[in-house]
Amino acid sequence: MYASRELSPNRPAFRIDLRSDTVTKPTAGMISAMAMATVGDDVLGDDPTVSELELRVANAAGKAAAAFFPSGTQSNLAGIMAHCERGDEYIVGNQAHTYRFEGGGAAVLGSVQPQPIDNREDGTLPVEKIIASIKPDDFHFAKTKLITLENTIGGRPLELDYILEVEKIARSRDLVFHLDGARAWNAMVANDQTLSDLCRPFDSASLCFSKGLGAPMGSVLVGTEAFIERARRVRKMLGGGLRQSGYLAAACLYALEHNISRLADDHRLASELAEGLRGALSTRVEYSGTNMLFVHGSERLQMRDLAEFLRHSGIGVVSGPTLRLVCHLGISSDDVGAVVEAARAFSRTAP
Ligand SMILES: *Cc1c(COP(=O)(O)O)cnc(C)c1O
């Protein structure tokens, strides 16, 4: 008759929300930066705040040009479509966002065929499998055009040596190399790199502001001038040409200024939470190295039951065979203590 409580729009907000780092809301400082933004019609190229954001992100990433997008899904899709023609193919992890979680957009809207490769536990794609999946130049096959990696993936930062190894394949086979860097800033902070070091091996990158950076929305695509020109045409076609979007770009500029170095706090809290839950639940808890952790279930310890118990204690989590918990700027050290306490209480109820 009515939607379940879980789906109801009237569901009260969780006291502690660990479902994702996308749940953050703009802080007072961010809202005031948004309210004071100077704006114009960005489709006409008139919005100075959007232009400033694009310039700053291009510079930080060490690329020639950038374009602001409403979402990371659209920015990845425009990137793939700006690199590829109909009938081309992109190599991608089977766990990658651009393959699994973007509605198949590259195939549906771009006529670009994915060639998925199983991600290893650590998020990497085995290089021999990448090489084996590159198609010969033969009219039977789609044309392999692009390799895409995700960093961080499942919260895990990729090793620079690994990225360079894949870059070598891309260069030697004349393929384009794209980074889905939705959480590239987390990787940057965890590896103590600069953004331009992290983006250097890639021809293009998509960077999100609506994850750990705490902006309400927005992603920036970076690459060469010619590539960004093509991506702007695709963006318009996909409905992503926005007018006074400087209000949103102002939130992203604020995030660049205030919310990057603090990502280290999220990482520390995630690591402490992993440690605490390991003790409370006596089960395998994997810390990703950035702001995520994964609690593994067993016969004895069903994650569905734990998730249900936590939700009843006002702690938001997404259930599955493993429980993914994500720290972000809405999570404090006290919250971590409270979650560990709730997990202990759950353990006491278990047989
Ligand atoms: C969130 C995310 C995106 C983009 O998602 P949007 O919700 O469309 O902004 C892309 N890639 C990864 C890895 C992500 O986590």
PDB file of all heavy atoms in Angstrom, residues 22 70-74 76 96-98 102 150 152 180-183 206 208 210-211 218-219, ligand 1:
ATOM      1  N   THR A  22      28.761  10.649  -0.567  1.00  0.00           N
ATOM      2  CA  THR A  22      27.906  11.562  -1.350  1.00  0.00           C
ATOM      3  C   THR A  22      26.804  12.184  -0.494  1.00  0.00           C
ATOM      4  O   THR A  22      26.066  13.030  -0.984  1.00  0.00           O
ATOM      5  CB  THR A  22      27.215  10.801  -2.505  1.00  0.00           C
ATOM      6  OG1 THR A  22      26.518   9.678  -1.952  1.00  0.00           O
ATOM      7  CG2 THR A  22      28.208  10.323  -3.525  1.00  0.00           C
ATOM      8  N   PRO A  70      27.627  18.545 -14.576  1.00  0.00           N
ATOM      9  CA  PRO A  70      26.727  18.345 -13.433  1.00  0.00           C
ATOM     10  C   PRO A  70      27.044  17.089 -12.632  1.00  0.00           C
ATOM     11  O   PRO A  70      26.850  17.070 -11.424  1.00  0.00           O
ATOM     12  CB  PRO A  70      25.332  18.211 -14.054  1.00  0.00           C
ATOM     13  CG  PRO A  70      25.472  18.408 -15.508  1.00  0.00           C
ATOM     14  CD  PRO A  70      26.907  18.528 -15.869  1.00  0.00           C
ATOM     15  N   SER A  71      27.518  16.026 -13.281  1.00  0.00           N
ATOM     16  CA  SER A  71      27.784  14.777 -12.556  1.00  0.00           C
ATOM     17  C   SER A  71      29.001  14.077 -13.135  1.00  0.00           C
ATOM     18  O   SER A  71      29.417  14.342 -14.269  1.00  0.00           O
ATOM     19  CB  SER A  71      26.577  13.834 -12.663  1.00  0.00           C
ATOM     20  OG  SER A  71      26.497  13.319 -13.980  1.00  0.00           O
ATOM     21  N   GLY A  72      29.522  13.143 -12.353  1.00  0.00           N
ATOM     22  CA  GLY A  72      30.657  12.341 -12.803  1.00  0.00           C
ATOM     23  C   GLY A  72      30.246  11.360 -13.891  1.00  0.00           C
ATOM     24  O   GLY A  72      31.035  11.038 -14.778  1.00  0.00           O
ATOM     25  N   THR A  73      29.024  10.878 -13.820  1.00  0.00           N
ATOM     26  CA  THR A  73      28.531   9.975 -14.860  1.00  0.00           C
ATOM     27  C   THR A  73      28.570  10.676 -16.217  1.00  0.00           C
ATOM     28  O   THR A  73      29.047  10.122 -17.211  1.00  0.00           O
ATOM     29  CB  THR A  73      27.080   9.531 -14.531  1.00  0.00           C
ATOM     30  OG1 THR A  73      27.101   8.807 -13.300  1.00  0.00           O
ATOM     31  CG2 THR A  73      26.487   8.669 -15.625  1.00  0.00           C
ATOM     32  N   GLN A  74      28.092  11.924 -16.229  1.00  0.00           N
ATOM     33  CA  GLN A  74      28.076  12.648 -17.497  1.00  0.00           C
ATOM     34  C   GLN A  74      29.490  13.019 -17.948  1.00  0.00           C
ATOM     35  O   GLN A  74      29.786  12.989 -19.149  1.00  0.00           O
ATOM     36  CB  GLN A  74      27.218  13.906 -17.379  1.00  0.00           C
ATOM     37  CG  GLN A  74      26.873  14.459 -18.741  1.00  0.00           C
ATOM     38  CD  GLN A  74      25.974  15.673 -18.648  1.00  0.00           C
ATOM     39  OE1 GLN A  74      26.454  16.780 -18.434  1.00  0.00           O
ATOM     40  NE2 GLN A  74      24.680  15.469 -18.789  1.00  0.00           N
ATOM     41  N   ASN A  76      32.325  11.346 -17.309  1.00  0.00           N
ATOM     42  CA  ASN A  76      32.961  10.145 -17.863  1.00  0.00           C
ATOM     43  C   ASN A  76      32.417   9.836 -19.255  1.00  0.00           C
ATOM     44  O   ASN A  76      33.168   9.508 -20.175  1.00  0.00           O
ATOM     45  CB  ASN A  76      32.693   8.931 -16.958  1.00  0.00           C
ATOM     46  CG  ASN A  76      33.677   8.817 -15.810  1.00  0.00           C
ATOM     47  OD1 ASN A  76      34.869   9.097 -15.959  1.00  0.00           O
ATOM     48  ND2 ASN A  76      33.187   8.413 -14.654  1.00  0.00           N
ATOM     49  N   ALA A  96      34.250  -1.447 -12.476  1.00  0.00           N
ATOM     50  CA  ALA A  96      34.436   0.001 -12.608  1.00  0.00           C
ATOM     51  C   ALA A  96      33.101   0.715 -12.732  1.00  0.00           C
ATOM     52  O   ALA A  96      32.148   0.199 -13.328  1.00  0.00           O
ATOM     53  CB  ALA A  96      35.292   0.310 -13.830  1.00  0.00           C
ATOM     54  N   HIS A  97      33.056   1.911 -12.192  1.00  0.00           N
ATOM     55  CA  HIS A  97      31.850   2.728 -12.253  1.00  0.00           C
ATOM     56  C   HIS A  97      31.420   2.949 -13.697  1.00  0.00           C
ATOM     57  O   HIS A  97      30.235   2.837 -14.037  1.00  0.00           O
ATOM     58  CB  HIS A  97      32.120   4.068 -11.561  1.00  0.00           C
ATOM     59  CG  HIS A  97      30.895   4.760 -11.068  1.00  0.00           C
ATOM     60  ND1 HIS A  97      30.088   5.524 -11.871  1.00  0.00           N
ATOM     61  CD2 HIS A  97      30.326   4.805  -9.836  1.00  0.00           C
ATOM     62  CE1 HIS A  97      29.082   6.017 -11.141  1.00  0.00           C
ATOM     63  NE2 HIS A  97      29.200   5.594  -9.912  1.00  0.00           N
ATOM     64  N   THR A  98      32.373   3.241 -14.595  1.00  0.00           N
ATOM     65  CA  THR A  98      32.036   3.550 -15.987  1.00  0.00           C
ATOM     66  C   THR A  98      31.466   2.339 -16.725  1.00  0.00           C
ATOM     67  O   THR A  98      30.882   2.475 -17.792  1.00  0.00           O
ATOM     68  CB  THR A  98      33.272   4.039 -16.786  1.00  0.00           C
ATOM     69  OG1 THR A  98      34.347   3.153 -16.517  1.00  0.00           O
ATOM     70  CG2 THR A  98      33.667   5.432 -16.386  1.00  0.00           C
ATOM     71  N   GLU A 102      26.867   3.210 -14.579  1.00  0.00           N
ATOM     72  CA  GLU A 102      26.510   4.394 -15.354  1.00  0.00           C
ATOM     73  C   GLU A 102      25.474   4.046 -16.427  1.00  0.00           C
ATOM     74  O   GLU A 102      25.424   4.665 -17.498  1.00  0.00           O
ATOM     75  CB  GLU A 102      27.776   5.075 -15.901  1.00  0.00           C
ATOM     76  CG  GLU A 102      28.667   5.523 -14.733  1.00  0.00           C
ATOM     77  CD  GLU A 102      29.905   6.320 -15.070  1.00  0.00           C
ATOM     78  OE1 GLU A 102      30.167   6.608 -16.250  1.00  0.00           O
ATOM     79  OE2 GLU A 102      30.625   6.662 -14.110  1.00  0.00           O
ATOM     80  N   GLU A 150      40.238   3.377 -12.758  1.00  0.00           N
ATOM     81  CA  GLU A 150      39.530   4.123 -11.712  1.00  0.00           C
ATOM     82  C   GLU A 150      40.442   4.214 -10.486  1.00  0.00           C
ATOM     83  O   GLU A 150      41.011   3.221 -10.068  1.00  0.00           O
ATOM     84  CB  GLU A 150      38.251   3.351 -11.382  1.00  0.00           C
ATOM     85  CG  GLU A 150      37.334   4.026 -10.400  1.00  0.00           C
ATOM     86  CD  GLU A 150      36.019   3.235 -10.260  1.00  0.00           C
ATOM     87  OE1 GLU A 150      35.406   2.861 -11.286  1.00  0.00           O
ATOM     88  OE2 GLU A 150      35.630   2.991  -9.115  1.00  0.00           O
ATOM     89  N   THR A 152      40.531   6.446  -6.668  1.00  0.00           N
ATOM     90  CA  THR A 152      40.573   5.153  -6.021  1.00  0.00           C
ATOM     91  C   THR A 152      39.472   4.234  -6.571  1.00  0.00           C
ATOM     92  O   THR A 152      38.485   4.710  -7.107  1.00  0.00           O
ATOM     93  CB  THR A 152      40.325   5.276  -4.491  1.00  0.00           C
ATOM     94  OG1 THR A 152      39.005   5.810  -4.259  1.00  0.00           O
ATOM     95  CG2 THR A 152      41.326   6.249  -3.866  1.00  0.00           C
ATOM     96  N   ASP A 180      38.985   7.607 -14.411  1.00  0.00           N
ATOM     97  CA  ASP A 180      37.802   7.966 -13.631  1.00  0.00           C
ATOM     98  C   ASP A 180      38.326   8.289 -12.229  1.00  0.00           C
ATOM     99  O   ASP A 180      38.537   7.401 -11.406  1.00  0.00           O
ATOM    100  CB  ASP A 180      36.794   6.815 -13.601  1.00  0.00           C
ATOM    101  CG  ASP A 180      35.576   7.150 -12.737  1.00  0.00           C
ATOM    102  OD1 ASP A 180      35.547   8.257 -12.150  1.00  0.00           O
ATOM    103  OD2 ASP A 180      34.664   6.307 -12.639  1.00  0.00           O
ATOM    104  N   GLY A 181      38.537   9.562 -12.001  1.00  0.00           N
ATOM    105  CA  GLY A 181      39.119  10.022 -10.727  1.00  0.00           C
ATOM    106  C   GLY A 181      38.065  10.642  -9.823  1.00  0.00           C
ATOM    107  O   GLY A 181      38.297  11.690  -9.228  1.00  0.00           O
ATOM    108  N   ALA A 182      36.902   9.962  -9.725  1.00  0.00           N
ATOM    109  CA  ALA A 182      35.840  10.479  -8.851  1.00  0.00           C
ATOM    110  C   ALA A 182      36.393  10.769  -7.458  1.00  0.00           C
ATOM    111  O   ALA A 182      36.032  11.752  -6.827  1.00  0.00           O
ATOM    112  CB  ALA A 182      34.689   9.484  -8.768  1.00  0.00           C
ATOM    113  N   ARG A 183      37.305   9.878  -6.991  1.00  0.00           N
ATOM    114  CA  ARG A 183      37.933  10.082  -5.679  1.00  0.00           C
ATOM    115  C   ARG A 183      39.447  10.228  -5.814  1.00  0.00           C
ATOM    116  O   ARG A 183      40.215   9.762  -4.973  1.00  0.00           O
ATOM    117  CB  ARG A 183      37.582   8.932  -4.733  1.00  0.00           C
ATOM    118  CG  ARG A 183      36.105   8.855  -4.404  1.00  0.00           C
ATOM    119  CD  ARG A 183      35.780   7.848  -3.308  1.00  0.00           C
ATOM    120  NE  ARG A 183      34.357   7.840  -3.003  1.00  0.00           N
ATOM    121  CZ  ARG A 183      33.440   7.157  -3.679  1.00  0.00           C
ATOM    122  NH1 ARG A 183      33.797   6.395  -4.708  1.00  0.00           N
ATOM    123  NH2 ARG A 183      32.167   7.222  -3.332  1.00  0.00           N
ATOM    124  N   SER A 206      38.339  12.500 -15.083  1.00  0.00           N
ATOM    125  CA  SER A 206      37.089  13.051 -14.552  1.00  0.00           C
ATOM    126  C   SER A 206      37.222  13.093 -13.032  1.00  0.00           C
ATOM    127  O   SER A 206      37.553  12.085 -12.400  1.00  0.00           O
ATOM    128  CB  SER A 206      35.929  12.148 -14.965  1.00  0.00           C
ATOM    129  OG  SER A 206      34.785  12.452 -14.191  1.00  0.00           O
ATOM    130  N   CYS A 208      35.510  14.337  -9.277  1.00  0.00           N
ATOM    131  CA  CYS A 208      34.206  14.664  -8.663  1.00  0.00           C
ATOM    132  C   CYS A 208      34.338  15.570  -7.444  1.00  0.00           C
ATOM    133  O   CYS A 208      35.222  15.384  -6.619  1.00  0.00           O
ATOM    134  CB  CYS A 208      33.512  13.389  -8.202  1.00  0.00           C
ATOM    135  SG  CYS A 208      32.758  12.455  -9.530  1.00  0.00           S
ATOM    136  N   SER A 210      31.364  15.986  -5.579  1.00  0.00           N
ATOM    137  CA  SER A 210      30.203  15.643  -4.753  1.00  0.00           C
ATOM    138  C   SER A 210      30.471  14.447  -3.849  1.00  0.00           C
ATOM    139  O   SER A 210      29.587  13.973  -3.155  1.00  0.00           O
ATOM    140  CB  SER A 210      29.007  15.350  -5.654  1.00  0.00           C
ATOM    141  OG  SER A 210      29.323  14.278  -6.510  1.00  0.00           O
ATOM    142  N   LYS A 211      31.704  13.933  -3.853  1.00  0.00           N
ATOM    143  CA  LYS A 211      32.056  12.827  -2.950  1.00  0.00           C
ATOM    144  C   LYS A 211      32.700  13.416  -1.697  1.00  0.00           C
ATOM    145  O   LYS A 211      32.095  14.255  -1.055  1.00  0.00           O
ATOM    146  CB  LYS A 211      32.988  11.849  -3.675  1.00  0.00           C
ATOM    147  CG  LYS A 211      32.387  11.275  -4.944  1.00  0.00           C
ATOM    148  CD  LYS A 211      31.499  10.067  -4.660  1.00  0.00           C
ATOM    149  CE  LYS A 211      30.540   9.731  -5.774  1.00  0.00           C
ATOM    150  NZ  LYS A 211      31.123   8.942  -6.843  1.00  0.00           N
ATOM    151  N   GLY A 218      28.646  18.327  -9.043  1.00  0.00           N
ATOM    152  CA  GLY A 218      29.677  18.865  -9.916  1.00  0.00           C
ATOM    153  C   GLY A 218      30.884  17.964 -10.090  1.00  0.00           C
ATOM    154  O   GLY A 218      31.367  17.345  -9.147  1.00  0.00           O
ATOM    155  N   SER A 219      31.325  17.863 -11.344  1.00  0.00           N
ATOM    156  CA  SER A 219      32.550  17.144 -11.698  1.00  0.00           C
ATOM    157  C   SER A 219      33.278  17.974 -12.738  1.00  0.00           C
ATOM    158  O   SER A 219      32.657  18.769 -13.445  1.00  0.00           O
ATOM    159  CB  SER A 219      32.225  15.783 -12.306  1.00  0.00           C
ATOM    160  OG  SER A 219      31.826  14.881 -11.311  1.00  0.00           O
TER     161      SER A 219
HETATM  162  C1  LIG B   1      30.400   8.656  -7.886  1.00  0.00           C
HETATM  163  C2  LIG B   1      31.274   8.131  -8.929  1.00  0.00           C
HETATM  164  C3  LIG B   1      31.184   8.581 -10.246  1.00  0.00           C
HETATM  165  C4  LIG B   1      30.212   9.633 -10.708  1.00  0.00           C
HETATM  166  O1  LIG B   1      28.985   9.550 -10.129  1.00  0.00           O
HETATM  167  P1  LIG B   1      27.900  10.720 -10.185  1.00  0.00           P
HETATM  168  O2  LIG B   1      27.001  10.311  -9.089  1.00  0.00           O
HETATM  169  O3  LIG B   1      27.317  10.685 -11.523  1.00  0.00           O
HETATM  170  O4  LIG B   1      28.585  12.033  -9.912  1.00  0.00           O
HETATM  171  C5  LIG B   1      32.046   8.060 -11.168  1.00  0.00           C
HETATM  172  N1  LIG B   1      32.973   7.159 -10.818  1.00  0.00           N
HETATM  173  C6  LIG B   1      33.106   6.708  -9.559  1.00  0.00           C
HETATM  174  C7  LIG B   1      34.179   5.744  -9.223  1.00  0.00           C
HETATM  175  C8  LIG B   1      32.249   7.177  -8.571  1.00  0.00           C
HETATM  176  O5  LIG B   1      32.388   6.727  -7.328  1.00  0.00           O
END
